[in-house]
Amino acid sequence: MKRWNGWGAVDTDYPLPDAGRAFLEDRLGSGAPPEDATLEECLGKVPPSRLPDHPLVVRDPEERLRRSAGQSLQDWINLRSGTVASFPDGVACPETAGDVREVLKYAQNTGALVIPYGGGTSVVGHLSAPAGDRPVLTVDMGRMNSLVKMDGRGCLATFQAGVRGPVLEAALRAGGYTLGHYPQSFEYSTLGGWVATRSAGQFSIGYGRIERLFAGGSVETPAGRLLLPVFPASAAGPDLKEIILGSEGRLGIITDATVKVSPLPEKETFHTAFFPDTEQGIAAVREMARASLPLTMIRLSLPEETTANLALAGHGRTIELLNRYLSFRGVHGEKCMLLYGAAGSRKKVRWALRQAGEIIKGHRGVPVGARPGREWMKNRFRAPYLRNTLWGKGYAVDTLETALTWKRLPGAVQSIETALRKGLESIGEKVFVFTHLSHVYPHGSSIYTTYLYRVAPDSAETLRRWKALKGAASEAIVRSKGTISHQHGVGEDHLPYLPAEKGELGMKIINELCRTLDPGEMMNPGKLAR
Ligand SMILES: Cc1cc2nc3c(=O)[nH]c(=O)nc-3n(C[C@H](O)[C@H](O)[C@H](O)COP(=O)(O)OP(=O)(O)OC[C@H]3O[C@@H](n4cnc5c(N)ncnc54)[C@H](O)[C@@H]3O)c2cc1C
């Protein structure tokens, strides 16, 4: 069973070791856990539904509460404190594209707004129900989760769009294939959600972001059905797949998607190395990206994140030995940790690791083998559970991300981190900030920054702190000329910063697209565009 006000399954936890807690107390001061609202208290705030009966729609308060928010820190604070502003009036659970058409007709007839809901893992405010006179219908795609067609020879597979990561990957693996798309939200996020948010998985440099994997599909829009046929390539004008990628539920509901799959690799491995400083680390990953090595992952933790990772892992003795070894090899102080992976035939993997090793050594890096990489692989979907634990200790944690050209990257890291570190200075609160580069391209890289601050006794103050920090960091991203999102999307949270990137004409094109496919302005209003 999924937590209603936190991340993941109720029976899974990620404990914080004592050393990790001491580390956070040192950085932020001791935290005091807030008193959370109970499920019953929250259910008491769900108003009566304004929607009429329909066999595909449930109006039960708990179903509506559970689909009322995603996983942004704002969503999280509202759910924990029982201050969710508005709830959907009903939840539809279609099983076929025909059901989706039927649900859209019902929404048109009742004047309802429609929010497509995949796994509910959005972190930028994609799923909140707008307040107002129109009833709101959330369409949960969870029952549309089957493999429709497998074309092994053509390396293509078609799924219903509500399929979650583990179900999709198990179906492919049974036939010897993989999609290779692993966002950290993999356990819950869905294929339709990945397409609608332009998601990037942990192995994006090997298998590609979802844009590269999405080959075609079907979308039910208020204006009719949009079919996106599969071609190996096409010069027939603009590619309409591109308008559905990143459409955030504004243009219609993706009912099925065909994806490009790969044969399962013979070998998959993850290795770790340390660099003496940020400059050497960045120079090495840039060179790796430019060399187009057949790697699946390059993730460089900058010094503060390297320290945090080692401290929060809690294996005191092992870390001490590691630090001694690194020190002996000339890597100490402001060191950076690199995690890199390769997959494919044994020969290809051996070659990729050898080439990567040469580049690492060329930048005074020290390889430490495969053991830390194996640990990372084992725990990679468990890390988000730490957010539940930290909240329970009185600390809020959030992440943000962008991507920039190599030239702009160092300045942007500094400016984003400084904006966050100083963001609560006026009230005497500290913010702990750290960053990694996780999706590295020949022309630049994504920046992924995590920040933690103390939860206030009053939830309105906790939210005010978040707004101050998110605003300051988003402005720093815009000033640095980064994209407002490399992988999480726009939603409500990033919408104020989108015009700086798209320009007036660009915003007009997006708005016109919404009006063409959704003339009644019923699809997920307030997200991506006004
Ligand atoms: C712990 C955690 C880790 C994360 N890690 C990553 C990561 O590594 N990489 C990454 O890219 N993102 C990550 N995310 C963000 C999030 O998981 C992605 O944005 C994901 O693609 C959302 O998928 P979902 O199925 O949960 O969609 P939802 O959150 O349910 O919806 C997101 C948006 O897509 C729309 N949508 C969903 N399904 C459909 C559909 N069938 N048709 C039309 N519109 C639809 C919704 O209306 C909404 O606007 C993470 C989030 C969390 C909480």
Side-chain angles (χ1 to χ4, degrees):
M1 163 90 115
K2 201 170 158 188
R3 282 183 171 87
W4 67 275
N5 65 351
W7 176 253
V10 284
D11 56 1
T12 306
D13 280 316
Y14 192 117
L16 180 67
D18 288 345
R21 185 170 187 171
F23 176 80
L24 284 183
E25 283 182 1
D26 179 58
R27 301 289 157 131
L28 291 173
S30 61
E35 197 168 321
D36 290 337
T38 63
L39 178 58
E40 286 64 37
E41 283 165 349
C42 285
L43 288 175
K45 294 185 177 170
V46 181
S49 171
R50 296 169 289 179
L51 282 171
D53 245 354
H54 188 282
L56 288 170
V57 177
V58 290
R59 293 172 301 171
D60 170 63
E62 185 165 342
E63 298 297 332
R64 291 162 55 204
L65 169 68
R66 284 180 176 271
R67 312 301 194 296
S68 62
Q71 289 286 325
S72 78
L73 189 52
Q74 176 160 233
D75 291 336
W76 181 286
I77 295 167
N78 289 339
L79 276 171
R80 289 277 175 160
S81 58
T83 53
V84 175
S86 51
F87 299 86
D89 292 271
V91 178
C93 301
E95 294 182 9
T96 63
D99 286 352
V100 172
R101 274 196 298 280
E102 168 71 27
V103 162
L104 288 180
K105 216 181 302 154
Y106 163 85
Q108 270 160 342
N109 292 339
T110 54
L113 302 174
V114 173
I115 304 179
Y117 183 102
T121 67
S122 155
V123 283
V124 292
H126 280 124
L127 299 168
S128 47
D133 293 340
R134 290 176 76 172
V136 179
L137 177 68
T138 289
V139 180
D140 185 331
M141 298 296 287
R143 288 195 192 154
M144 293 186 62
N145 61 4
S146 306
L147 173 63
V148 178
K149 205 165 50 189
M150 181 73 209
D151 168 12
R153 248 197 289 170
C155 282
L156 292 167
T158 304
F159 287 89
Q160 286 185 300
V163 65
R164 285 182 180 178
V167 177
L168 173 144
E169 200 54 32
L172 292 179
R173 279 174 185 252
Y177 292 89
T178 178
L179 180 61
H181 187 73
Y182 300 101
Q184 204 184 30
S185 56
F186 179 74
E187 262 184 288
Y188 292 99
S189 54
T190 64
L191 176 56
W194 298 339
V195 172
T197 60
R198 299 186 86 99
S199 156
Q202 289 162 340
F203 304 158
S204 73
I205 61 162
Y207 295 96
R209 294 163 58 93
I210 201 69
E211 296 96 287
R212 207 171 95 192
L213 299 169
F214 177 52
S218 319
V219 188
E220 296 294 340
T221 82
R225 177 193 273 183
L226 179 66
L227 286 178
L228 302 165
V230 176
F231 303 111
S234 166
D239 185 349
L240 297 181
K241 292 198 300 296
E242 284 295 332
I243 68 166
I244 294 306
L245 284 157
S247 56
E248 303 194 356
R250 286 302 313 263
L251 303 179
I253 301 184
I254 304 158
T255 53
D256 62 78
T258 300
V259 283
K260 299 172 190 169
V261 299
S262 306
L264 274 173
E266 191 186 350
K267 187 165 171 65
E268 183 174 54
T269 185
F270 302 91
H271 285 239
T272 306
F274 287 82
F275 293 94
D277 55 43
T278 303
E279 287 69 35
Q280 293 294 345
I282 291 184
V285 296
R286 190 175 53 220
E287 198 178 326
M288 283 163 122
R290 282 176 47 175
S292 299
L293 300 180
L295 297 172
T296 50
M297 183 174 80
I298 298 175
R299 175 181 168 145
L300 181 75
S301 294
L302 300 186
E304 196 69 304
E305 181 169 295
T306 301
T307 309
N309 282 345
L310 297 178
L312 296 176
H315 310 296
R317 181 77 190 129
T318 315
I319 304 293
E320 197 187 312
L321 289 174
L322 174 70
N323 278 335
R324 258 199 252 163
Y325 170 71
L326 290 173
S327 218
F328 170 72
R329 299 280 313 268
V331 173
H332 33 70
E334 298 278 277
K335 55 182 175 286
C336 288
M337 185 173 93
L338 169 70
L339 195 56
Y340 58 108
S345 67
R346 286 177 193 284
K347 198 167 148 200
K348 184 169 149 189
V349 167
R350 240 191 338 265
W351 183 81
L353 292 178
R354 210 172 33 240
Q355 300 298 312
E358 291 298 319
I359 294 174
I360 289 166
K361 279 188 205 134
H363 292 276
R364 293 169 36 217
V366 176
V368 297
R371 203 168 136 202
R374 272 200 299 273
E375 277 297 300
W376 173 84
M377 185 67 180
K378 208 168 72 193
N379 284 319
R380 67 196 169 126
F381 303 130
R382 275 191 72 218
Y385 286 85
L386 190 55
R387 201 180 192 190
N388 302 328
T389 314
L390 290 169
W391 184 268
K393 310 257 180 248
Y395 301 108
V397 54
D398 194 20
T399 60
L400 46 87
E401 35 82 48
T402 178
L404 308 99
T405 54
W406 286 115
K407 203 165 89 185
R408 298 205 158 106
L409 187 121
V413 172
Q414 200 180 20
S415 139
I416 295 164
E417 289 198 340
T418 306
L420 289 167
R421 267 191 205 111
K422 295 189 164 180
L424 301 181
E425 246 176 25
S426 61
I427 55 166
E429 285 291 323
K430 293 183 193 158
V431 183
F432 179 42
V433 187
F434 49 87
T435 297
H436 65 252
L437 315 188
S438 48
H439 302 265
V440 179
Y441 307 92
H443 311 290
S445 172
S446 72
I447 296 175
Y448 191 93
T449 297
T450 303
Y451 60 99
L452 289 92
Y453 65 94
R454 289 201 294 186
V455 172
D458 167 20
S459 65
E461 171 59 16
T462 304
L463 192 57
R464 202 198 62 72
R465 289 178 190 179
W466 174 76
K467 283 187 175 160
L469 294 170
K470 178 80 180 174
S474 301
E475 278 160 24
I477 288 173
V478 172
R479 268 198 316 277
S480 307
K481 303 214 180 315
T483 172
I484 198 58
S485 177
H486 167 267
Q487 64 200 59
H488 289 159
V490 180
E492 281 179 347
D493 298 353
H494 292 156
L495 183 52
Y497 310 98
L498 196 62
E501 183 169 334
K502 301 291 185 200
E504 204 179 311
L505 185 56
M507 289 309 294
K508 190 166 171 224
I509 293 170
I510 295 173
N511 283 318
E512 289 299 334
L513 264 176
C514 293
R515 265 194 282 280
T516 302
L517 292 180
D518 176 27
E521 300 187 4
M522 61 190 271
M523 299 303 303
N524 211 6
K527 329 295 179 342
L528 178 66
R530 297 256 172 249

